[in-house]
């Protein structure tokens, strides 16, 4: 049974071509069959499992953003997302993305060089001792509190008031279907992929999705719209193009979430 709970740059270097090539082939085939008068599926429908495409600019994607070094001119290097919290100011990412919190900024909904919901500075970080002391891949989930960097679109509100937040879910089944949204460091729009996952070990979850390259660390893993992990963990999240990992959200991660939520 799923338990819904109340409310440290990326070291991976992986090719990104295969998934988008597959998507282009699908679109070309759809165009050809349309010319022949053959019915094709609605292009707005979700892509097949295991196919990576550009994420739709919807409410869920607005809760996901890129982490920047020093500001928008510094380039983005990881991904984070907003989760529900008592003070409505908590984001989640991979612990290995938070090596320089004083100069890290979050841009939810970032797309094509624009930060439609403003730029947010980190005000506190919540990282497991196992990661701080030894970079334990099983503890590669972290939380942070944020505040507006310069007012902007936030207009004095908390980040969850602006874009909403994902609930946090623990105790997911081994074969859960997970949706991932993340920002490769070379792309200016987020990517989306969903697939059924497996347990690589008791503490690591595995998914087959192409193109989730450097910069997608920290991307939320969503099960029915609830956060069940983030891209990271084993091998920093993965070293081959098609496979990514997430540490299983265990008691330590849940405790970090509660601390961040209570101390925003």
């Amino acid at each position: 049974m799923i338990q819904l709970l109340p409310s440290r740059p990326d070291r991976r270097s992986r090719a990104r071509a295969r998934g988008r090539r597959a998507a282009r082939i699908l679109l070309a085939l759809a165009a050809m069959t349309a010319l022949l008068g053959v019915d094709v599926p609605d292009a707005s429908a979700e892509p097949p499992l295991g196919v990576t495409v550009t994420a739709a600019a919807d409410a869920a994607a607005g809760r996901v953003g890129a982490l920047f070094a020093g500001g928008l001119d510094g380039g983005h290097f990881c991904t984070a997302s907003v989760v529900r919290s008592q003070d409505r100011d908590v984001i989640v990412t991979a612990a290995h993305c938070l090596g320089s919190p004083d100069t890290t900024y979050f841009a939810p909904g970032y797309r094509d060089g624009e930060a439609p919901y403003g730029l947010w500075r980190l005000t506190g970080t919540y990282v497991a001792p196992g990661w701080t002391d030894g970079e334990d891949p099983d503890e590669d989930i972290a939380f942070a509190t944020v505040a507006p960097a310069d007012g902007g679109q936030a207009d004095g509100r908390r980040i969850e008031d602006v874009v909403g937040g994902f609930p946090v879910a623990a105790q997911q089944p081994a074969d859960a279907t997970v949706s991932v949204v993340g920002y490769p460091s070379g792309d200016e729009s987020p990517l989306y992929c969903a697939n059924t996952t497996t347990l690589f070990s008791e503490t690591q979850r595995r998914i087959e999705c192409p193109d989730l390259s450097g910069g997608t660390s920290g991307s939320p893993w969503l099960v029915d719209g609830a956060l069940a992990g983030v891209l990271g963990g084993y091998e920093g999240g993965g070293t081959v193009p098609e496979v990514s990992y997430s540490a299983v959200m265990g008691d330590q991660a849940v405790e970090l979430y509660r601390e961040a939520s209570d101390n925003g």
Side-chain angles (χ1 to χ4, degrees):
M1 178 178 180
I2 296 174
Q3 177 186 355
L4 289 177
L5 303 170
S7 47
R8 247 166 132 144
D10 199 316
R11 295 188 291 256
R12 304 182 308 134
S13 177
R14 304 174 356 176
R16 302 194 300 266
R18 298 185 183 179
R20 272 167 286 178
R21 187 182 299 121
R24 288 195 296 268
I25 291 171
L26 288 173
L27 290 173
L29 289 173
M32 292 173 63
T33 53
L35 289 172
L36 295 172
V38 178
D39 290 336
V40 295
D42 183 355
S44 66
E46 288 193 2
L49 294 180
V51 174
T52 300
V53 299
T54 300
D58 55 17
R63 299 170 187 169
V64 184
L67 293 180
F68 285 81
L72 293 181
D73 294 336
H76 57 89
F77 60 87
C78 271
T79 302
S81 58
V82 184
V83 291
R84 294 179 185 174
S85 63
Q86 178 175 304
D87 287 334
R88 311 181 308 286
D89 61 352
V90 175
I91 65 173
V92 61
T93 187
H96 74 257
C97 293
L98 296 182
S100 303
D102 293 342
T103 57
T104 297
Y105 292 83
F106 175 59
Y110 177 80
R111 196 174 292 249
D112 299 328
E114 300 292 333
Y117 306 111
L119 198 61
W120 302 72
R121 60 183 175 85
L122 275 60
T123 59
T125 58
Y126 299 82
V127 182
W131 179 264
T132 303
D133 297 339
E135 297 190 354
D136 182 351
D138 293 341
E139 306 294 353
D140 198 10
I141 300 176
F143 297 85
T145 52
V146 297
D150 55 5
Q153 295 291 328
D155 193 26
R157 294 179 292 170
R158 300 295 180 102
I159 194 166
E160 194 179 330
D161 297 331
V162 177
V163 300
F166 298 117
V168 174
Q171 300 180 6
Q172 296 293 336
D175 60 348
T177 297
V178 164
S179 300
V180 184
V181 180
Y183 289 81
S185 56
D187 288 7
E188 292 298 281
S189 297
L191 300 181
Y192 168 92
C193 181
N195 211 347
T196 302
T197 60
T198 58
L199 285 182
F200 175 72
S201 68
E202 290 185 356
T203 56
Q204 296 286 328
R205 190 180 295 277
R206 178 183 187 276
I207 193 171
E208 294 188 7
C209 275
D211 299 344
L212 300 181
S213 57
T216 58
S217 283
S219 299
W221 287 34
L222 304 169
V223 177
D224 295 330
L227 183 92
V230 301
L231 201 153
Y234 179 68
E235 295 182 335
T239 59
V240 298
E242 300 86 1
V243 179
S244 298
Y245 300 90
S246 168
V248 171
M249 184 169 288
D251 293 342
Q252 178 66 76
V254 170
E255 181 59 29
L256 289 175
Y257 168 58
R258 287 174 172 158
E259 289 179 11
S261 180
D262 292 343
N263 292 285

